[in-house]
Amino acid sequence: MGESRSGSRTVRRRFTILYATVFLLSGIGLLALTYLLSGSDSSSVAPLPFPSGGPSPGAEQHIRDLEEQLANVHARQSRQLLFGSLIAMAVMAVVSLLLGRVLAGRVLRPLRLITAATRRISAENLHQRLDVTGPADEVKELADTIDGLLARLESSFAAQRRFVANASHELRTPLATMRASLDVAVAKPEPAAQTVVLADRLRTELDRVDTLLDGFLVLARAQHGVLPDRVPVSLGGLAKEALAVRDADIAAKNLTVDDGVGPNTAWTRGSPALLSRMVQNLIDNAITHNQGGGWIRVVTEGDGIESRFVVETGGSVLDQHQVDRLTQPFERLGADRTGSEESSGLGLSIVAAIVAAHGGRLDLRARSEGGLRVTAAMASTAGSREDRGDREDRGDRGYRGDGEVTP
């Protein structure tokens, strides 16, 4: 964005200099022509014929005095005209710069509007168009070309998301068939030991593939940004539930949990299923990529404007540039990170897509002391008249993410 603005200022500066130079040269040419013409207008007057005998000595001296006075007057007028021309040129230089800047701004104004509108369009709102109106000139042709490009991008993104969703859905059928075949093979009387071992390994791999496909489905749904089931949701309630579900895993790693979560805090409006998946992924990520005997800090907070869900972990010092790439699918911090070989690489990319679908922001920060701090922030519904009405209709109960409501 900074480069774009700097480039815009450079173009405007160039147009300003160009217009100012044209105005100034035109003014100089006009003043020079006026000065030359004024110099050539002074024509000598033919002397009147004297009577026979010639002029008297006194009359001749008087004529020379008059001619000298006229020459002095003409020289003084020329100097005044030259001085006035120089002042006019200086004024014209300033006026040329001002007029050049104004004209450059007027010329570049449609381009600035197109740039601002294009900057507002991202992968989440490719359906928007510039829709520039006006005469069929070069600016409108540029805007129509950008609209055509956006239409092709929207079609490409939609096709990609449909493919991921459809492929993930269709692959569940052969996975279910493979599971059933394994169950049949193991259910036979006195199955071979090798068959049982192989079946257990295949089930483990099938579970991983099923988890990966489920991640693809959630990611495709979040990237579509269509959330018809928006209701008030408590991020605190979702966090409490996710921590309770993973209590055994937390104990297995001997992790210390600093729980700063209230069961009815940090309200936002969105899809309960997607927000629950977001909270679960962040807590799962904190547990999986943690060291034995480590710690986790979970906080939900809100200020009436923004509701935040914060997960913080300790560990080794991380590179912020690598952390910034974690929201991309299949990005990991490296094989040396605890648990990285067991993850699908979709957890944080799903979180980023869910937060973006809810119009929020996701901030990943490498802690200077070591470890990672993740903040998911979304618009708060605290004090909203619409949401107060929704909660009153449900008897002031909030969604907890488990399909039930809490008093």
Side-chain angles (χ1 to χ4, degrees):
M1 187 180 300
E3 293 179 358
S4 176
R5 291 177 179 174
S6 176
S8 175
R9 288 196 296 268
T10 301
V11 172
R12 186 170 187 177
R13 190 181 304 118
R14 290 176 180 174
F15 273 112
T16 300
I17 295 174
L18 176 62
Y19 292 144
T21 302
V22 172
F23 290 144
L24 188 59
L25 291 178
S26 300
I28 292 174
L30 179 61
L31 292 175
L33 183 61
T34 303
Y35 182 76
L36 292 176
L37 291 178
S38 65
S40 62
D41 282 344
S42 59
S43 57
S44 58
V45 180
L48 296 176
F50 289 97
S52 58
S56 63
E60 186 175 351
Q61 181 63 36
H62 183 66
I63 291 173
R64 283 197 297 268
D65 292 340
L66 290 176
E67 289 178 348
E68 185 178 354
Q69 292 178 4
L70 288 173
N72 293 333
V73 169
H74 179 68
R76 186 167 57 252
Q77 289 177 344
S78 298
R79 288 193 300 270
Q80 291 177 349
L81 180 60
L82 179 60
F83 184 70
S85 300
L86 293 176
I87 294 177
M89 287 172 57
V91 173
M92 281 296 298
V94 177
V95 173
S96 298
L97 288 173
L98 296 177
L99 290 178
R101 181 174 178 81
V102 172
L103 288 179
R106 293 292 298 272
V107 170
L108 295 175
R109 183 173 179 272
L111 296 180
R112 289 199 303 271
L113 295 177
I114 292 176
T115 301
T118 306
R119 188 178 291 124
R120 290 193 299 268
I121 299 175
S122 62
E124 284 72 34
N125 55 356
L126 284 174
H127 61 279
Q128 296 184 8
R129 296 293 181 269
L130 300 180
D131 291 331
V132 174
T133 58
D137 53 8
E138 290 81 356
V139 174
K140 191 175 188 310
E141 183 178 358
L142 173 62
D144 293 342
T145 302
I146 294 177
D147 283 341
L149 175 62
L150 291 174
R152 293 191 295 272
L153 286 175
E154 181 184 17
S155 177
S156 177
F157 271 74
Q160 179 186 16
R161 291 165 181 169
R162 282 196 303 269
F163 171 78
V164 172
N166 293 336
S168 302
H169 180 74
E170 293 298 329
L171 285 174
R172 288 185 179 277
T173 300
L175 285 176
T177 303
M178 294 165 68
R179 289 179 187 277
S181 300
L182 289 176
D183 293 337
V184 170
V186 176
K188 291 181 179 181
E190 298 181 359
Q194 293 180 349
T195 302
V196 175
V197 173
L198 179 60
D200 291 339
R201 291 180 179 176
L202 289 177
R203 282 199 189 95
T204 302
E205 296 302 321
L206 288 175
D207 289 340
R208 294 183 62 181
V209 174
D210 192 56
T211 301
L212 186 61
L213 291 178
D214 182 61
F216 279 137
L217 285 171
V218 175
L219 183 60
R221 183 186 177 191
Q223 288 178 337
H224 275 293
V226 180
L227 306 175
D229 54 343
R230 284 181 178 266
V231 296
V233 180
S234 170
L235 296 179
L238 298 178
K240 281 289 187 183
E241 177 195 354
L243 287 172
V245 170
R246 297 300 302 271
D247 186 63
D249 298 317
I250 294 173
K253 276 197 169 184
N254 194 25
L255 299 177
T256 301
V257 178
D258 182 3
D259 184 357
V261 177
N264 203 30
T265 58
W267 285 86
T268 188
R269 191 174 184 86
S271 168
L274 289 180
L275 291 176
S276 177
R277 183 59 179 268
M278 176 198 75
V279 171
Q280 291 173 11
N281 279 13
L282 289 179
I283 292 180
D284 289 348
N285 185 76
I287 296 173
T288 303
H289 303 291
N290 211 326
Q291 301 173 348
W295 59 271
I296 301 173
R297 182 171 179 263
V298 182
V299 177
T300 54
E301 56 189 9
D303 53 12
I305 300 176
E306 194 176 61
S307 294
R308 292 177 292 275
F309 175 64
V310 183
V311 179
E312 196 170 0
T313 59
S316 58
V317 177
L318 304 176
D319 183 2
Q320 183 62 43
H321 295 290
Q322 294 182 354
V323 170
D324 292 336
R325 297 198 302 268
L326 287 178
T327 55
Q328 300 299 320
F330 306 111
E331 283 287 345
R332 300 181 179 91
L333 287 178
D336 56 335
R337 191 175 181 219
T338 304
S340 61
E341 68 280 357
E342 301 176 0
S343 66
S344 64
L346 291 175
L348 289 178
S349 61
I350 291 175
V351 170
I354 293 174
V355 173
H358 287 80
R361 61 179 179 86
L362 180 66
D363 182 54
L364 278 69
R365 293 292 169 188
R367 301 176 69 250
S368 58
E369 305 87 351
L372 185 66
R373 175 186 173 92
V374 182
T375 302
M378 281 158 284
S380 174
T381 60
S384 169
R385 180 180 302 174
E386 178 184 358
D387 296 325
R388 285 201 305 268
D390 289 340
R391 287 198 283 270
E392 289 173 359
D393 292 340
R394 296 192 306 271
D396 196 26
R397 295 171 295 173
Y399 188 89
R400 289 286 301 274
D402 52 2
E404 300 179 357
V405 288
T406 60

